Amino acid sequence: MGKVVGIDLGTTNSLVAYVRDGVPQVIRDESGDGLVPSVVSIGEDGTTFVGREAQRRLLTAPSRTVYSVKRFMGRGIDDVQDEASLLPFTVGGEPGGVVRIGVADRQFTPPEISAFVLRELKHRAEEFFREQGEFDFEVDRAVITVPAYFNDAQRTATRDAGRLAGLEVLRIINEPTAASLAYGLDARDRGAIAVYDLGGGTFDISILRVEDKVFQVLATNGDTHLGGDDIDRLLMDAVIRELEAAGASVTALSGEAVQSIRKAVIQTKIDLSDHSEAEIRIEPMPGISAGYRRRMTRDEFERLIHPLVERTLEPCRQALADAGLLAADIQEVVLVGGSTRVPLVRRAVEALFGRMPHSDLNPDEVVALGAAVQADILISGRREMLLLDVTPLSLGIETLGGVVTKIILRNSTIPAGGREMFTTGVDSQTAVDIHVLQGERELADDCRSLARFKLSGIPPMVAGMPRVEVRFQIDANGILSVAARELRTSVEQRIEVKPSYGLTDEEVERMLIESFEHAEADFDARLLIDARNEAESVVLATEKSLRRPDFEQVAAEALAPGERQRIESTLAAVKQAIAGTDRAAIQNATHDLNEATRHLAEVVMNRSVREALAGRNVNDV
């Protein structure tokens, strides 16, 4: 049996974590970075790039690079048209069908793109366990988190992505619930907890209660169209308006220019979390011939994003009302998601709940840590803790006149079940159409259609005589199954709901086969990426040494004649090799640079040690 991990499949970044000796830990790369950007890029030769490498290609190959795909999971083309306007890739699909993402001449579904990210996380974990000397290092099972307000279609799409990545999804749990596990709030004797989760693409608020080792979600609310991406879009719009005012044509902006604007405003957003002002800087390029530079203050930024932050507070109030609590009843408030680093967000949350929120764990990592805790609980049973989550939206069926009869109400604790009795409306009716819906509206046309199936074989009877029992059952992953039975004859039909925007078993099978067919090419691509990453780390270390304030003195005192020139020429050769696709050339150039800088590294290290020990005696060290 292989390893089990916890995965936070995020809009902007994704992470994988595991539990060792009862402590959850994020699995990091060689440089100590735990984040894998949720970005996928397809090369001209069909090579697939994931993570940092794909993120870099946003500037050089934007039309071949996909990001923020989580916002399209389990949704139809009618749902996402407004979001696709500034994207470098195409978003299409048939009405009522799965969204199709066009990259060059290929079409992908959102679960396929997400599966590339999950495979990268799986590989990272397996490499980590291999390096740790684990005999059985294969990762074959995972707990994956989703926003609390993800509907059935979006949860099913996430499970499909896990399956495509070669993972058995043991459990799909809500991100706020995972965050609470990471903080160890399940260890409280009792109390109410609010988890405010503002990520890259979604916003969730969950109200939970801990009592006698029972960890129960009382209510959840949120907005799957609200997150850090929307803050970025506001900033981008502001920059584009100013460019227009200066005479630039928005329609003339290349994909590279749009992505350069996006990269610049994201960095500004990050800088304004720590500083009172920051500069938006864009270098000259086609469509922005003069470049762009502008200083923005934090006050200016907060005025711009204030309406978005306010939009998060109404779901918080609604969740409190659904839980039957006041803000004063909340004992703990937890912040989750990178967007909660924005000072205005933290102040708004503190003002609403009247207490300082927890922020001592990294908000980018806390969900993955909680997923790992839940995975460990499922496998080891080391905690005597019961996790009770809720369904975010009501579930029911369409009845006469196009109205919705709700069978499981929103915020019902899952696993959950419900049943209702129905009958026929026409004499001699031998079949009943069951239309399964999700949503809070009263009419079927205003709710999301999840599935349709037919209960047939009912003997002809007078209208009103048949007794049809419809049963709904939601499992611990939030996945719905529906059964209909005519009680007089015991005729029965059941279905595990395949949402309108999910993938069929045949589609998933085809995608799995394609992944096997491309396995060798994918492995070669990974080796190329690994070689580039190693080369870039050596380049960064070398450039850091060359930029030392005392480098000229070091070169004059310690380097042999011609040694500096050799380092600089070898460094240039590595950069040139990185730009190509010859893995052997990259590895050879990296080896040459390592050899060329070996003496420099020794000199710099000795100098640093002397400086650290200056003025100290043996007893001090």
Side-chain angles (χ1 to χ4, degrees):
M1 187 68 74
K3 302 289 186 184
V4 59
V5 294
I7 291 176
D8 173 12
L9 182 61
T11 304
T12 307
N13 296 296
S14 297
L15 303 94
V16 58
Y18 77 112
V19 170
R20 168 166 287 174
D21 299 328
V23 179
Q25 302 176 39
V26 169
I27 297 175
R28 307 178 187 279
D29 64 12
E30 320 80 57
S31 64
D33 189 3
L35 301 177
V36 172
S38 302
V39 185
V40 176
S41 186
I42 308 298
E44 289 76 4
D45 59 354
T47 302
T48 303
F49 302 94
V50 182
R52 296 287 174 204
E53 181 72 14
Q55 192 176 52
R56 284 191 283 269
R57 287 173 57 86
L58 266 172
L59 294 178
T60 58
S63 65
R64 291 181 169 271
T65 307
V66 182
Y67 60 90
S68 295
V69 74
K70 184 173 177 178
R71 300 185 80 146
F72 303 117
M73 292 284 277
R75 301 175 68 194
I77 186 61
D78 294 337
D79 301 326
V80 300
Q81 284 178 333
D82 292 342
E83 299 179 37
S85 57
L86 283 177
L87 296 176
F89 49 90
T90 61
V91 179
E94 297 296 323
V98 180
V99 167
R100 303 284 173 175
I101 295 170
V103 183
D105 58 346
R106 297 175 65 182
Q107 295 285 318
F108 298 91
T109 64
E112 282 182 282
I113 298 294
S114 294
F116 286 125
V117 178
L118 290 173
R119 285 193 200 104
E120 180 68 20
L121 296 169
K122 180 177 186 290
H123 174 79
R124 172 178 286 195
E126 288 174 341
E127 287 298 301
F128 172 80
F129 291 130
R130 192 202 309 268
E131 291 169 2
Q132 294 291 307
E134 300 278 355
F135 175 74
D136 186 4
F137 55 80
E138 181 187 3
V139 173
D140 58 2
R141 291 160 296 160
V143 169
I144 302 179
T145 62
V146 296
Y149 223 54
F150 255 25
N151 62 33
D152 191 68
Q154 292 165 309
R155 291 168 191 268
T156 300
T158 303
R159 188 171 62 170
D160 286 342
R163 183 179 169 191
L164 287 170
L167 292 168
E168 178 189 351
V169 181
L170 297 178
R171 182 72 60 87
I172 292 174
I173 66 169
N174 291 343
E175 291 165 1
T177 309
S180 298
L181 287 174
Y183 270 103
L185 297 177
D186 56 302
R188 288 178 58 98
D189 291 332
R190 62 188 64 240
I193 305 162
V195 183
Y196 178 103
D197 183 354
L198 186 60
T202 58
F203 168 67
D204 291 313
I205 177 68
S206 289
I207 309 297
L208 309 97
R209 173 177 287 137
V210 180
E211 189 167 354
D212 299 329
K213 296 292 184 181
V214 176
F215 195 31
Q216 182 177 10
V217 181
L218 300 178
T220 187
N221 211 305
D223 190 334
T224 56
H225 300 75
L226 179 61
D229 284 356
D230 299 285
I231 294 176
D232 302 340
R233 193 170 290 115
L234 280 178
L235 288 168
M236 288 179 68
D237 289 344
V239 170
I240 289 172
R241 282 195 302 272
E242 292 187 3
L243 287 171
E244 281 184 313
S249 171
V250 177
T251 56
L253 289 178
S254 63
E256 180 183 352
V258 171
Q259 292 311 310
S260 295
I261 295 172
R262 179 172 178 269
K263 181 180 179 182
V265 300
I266 289 173
Q267 187 58 53
T268 300
K269 176 182 70 175
I270 293 170
D271 292 343
L272 287 172
S273 291
D274 299 317
H275 305 285
S276 60
E277 65 175 43
E279 183 178 55
I280 306 175
R281 177 184 296 184
I282 303 165
E283 299 301 324
M285 63 179 59
I288 315 176
S289 57
Y292 178 89
R293 294 184 68 173
R294 177 204 199 284
R295 297 205 70 79
M296 175 173 278
T297 66
R298 182 184 288 176
D299 287 344
E300 201 178 350
F301 172 65
E302 290 183 348
R303 284 195 299 273
L304 183 68
I305 68 169
H306 183 265
L308 284 182
V309 177
E310 282 296 309
R311 273 179 58 191
T312 69
L313 301 183
E314 185 52 39
C316 295
R317 299 184 185 100
Q318 184 61 54
L320 284 168
D322 291 342
L325 298 174
L326 300 174
D329 298 325
I330 301 297
Q331 280 83 48
E332 308 276 2
V333 181
V334 174
L335 295 180
V336 181
S339 298
T340 60
R341 287 191 173 92
V342 175
L344 177 62
V345 171
R346 297 194 172 195
R347 295 201 306 273
V349 174
E350 183 177 355
L352 177 64
F353 291 100
R355 63 181 60 250
M356 182 77 74
H358 281 287
S359 57
D360 35 316
L361 288 181
N362 185 331
D364 287 318
E365 298 183 353
V366 63
V367 169
L369 294 172
V373 171
Q374 176 64 15
D376 184 62
I377 291 169
L378 291 175
I379 296 302
S380 69
R382 276 195 281 265
R383 292 196 191 190
E384 295 178 0
M385 190 269 291
L386 179 62
L387 175 61
L388 300 175
D389 225 324
V390 297
T391 181
L393 296 167
S394 299
L395 295 152
I397 66 169
E398 181 180 357
T399 52
L400 196 62
V403 301
V404 180
T405 298
K406 296 180 175 67
I407 295 178
I408 296 180
L409 299 178
R410 70 185 178 96
N411 287 323
S412 295
T413 300
I414 59 174
R419 62 184 65 200
E420 288 286 344
M421 299 298 299
F422 301 93
T423 188
T424 55
V426 179
D427 289 344
S428 301
Q429 187 174 337
T430 59
V432 177
D433 288 321
I434 309 293
H435 184 196
V436 183
L437 299 155
Q438 184 172 38
E440 304 309 314
R441 304 286 293 276
E442 297 302 318
L443 298 180
D445 287 345
D446 298 322
C447 292
R448 180 181 292 275
S449 173
L450 294 183
R452 295 176 184 268
F453 68 100
K454 187 183 292 288
L455 174 64
S456 55
I458 302 173
M461 294 185 235
V462 176
M465 283 295 290
R467 290 171 52 79
V468 179
E469 179 188 63
V470 178
R471 301 191 305 277
F472 278 34
Q473 184 67 44
I474 306 176
D475 66 16
N477 293 316
I479 305 300
L480 173 67
S481 59
V482 180
R485 182 185 184 198
E486 204 289 306
L487 298 183
R488 298 182 188 278
T489 60
S490 296
V491 174
E492 184 166 349
Q493 179 70 39
R494 60 179 64 239
I495 185 175
E496 180 177 301
V497 171
K498 290 290 184 183
S500 304
Y501 303 126
L503 299 173
T504 65
D505 287 338
E506 291 76 15
E507 286 178 301
V508 173
E509 191 66 30
R510 174 185 58 77
M511 293 171 187
L512 284 171
I513 292 171
E514 287 178 356
S515 72
F516 297 146
E517 291 174 347
H518 292 93
E520 184 175 351
D522 289 346
F523 181 69
D524 289 341
R526 172 172 297 285
L527 292 177
L528 174 61
I529 292 169
D530 290 344
R532 280 177 173 158
N533 289 340
E534 181 182 357
E536 287 178 348
S537 66
V538 176
V539 166
L540 287 173
T542 303
E543 290 181 333
K544 183 177 180 181
S545 296
L546 296 178
R547 289 196 302 268
R548 284 175 60 103
D550 61 349
F551 177 73
E552 295 299 333
Q553 183 180 353
V554 169
E557 293 178 0
L559 298 187
E563 187 172 355
R564 176 176 181 173
Q565 289 75 14
R566 181 187 170 207
I567 291 171
E568 290 176 343
S569 63
T570 311
L571 178 63
V574 175
K575 290 182 176 180
Q576 184 176 356
I578 289 173
T581 58
D582 187 335
R583 176 164 55 91
I586 296 172
Q587 291 173 324
N588 291 336
T590 304
H591 177 267
D592 292 344
L593 182 57
N594 273 322
E595 290 300 313
T597 56
R598 188 183 302 278
H599 180 232
L600 173 63
E602 292 172 354
V603 170
V604 170
M605 178 63 73
N606 290 338
R607 193 179 186 89
S608 297
V609 170
R610 284 199 304 271
E611 290 172 353
L613 297 180
R616 305 175 71 184
N617 59 38
V618 174
N619 293 329
D620 293 331
V621 297

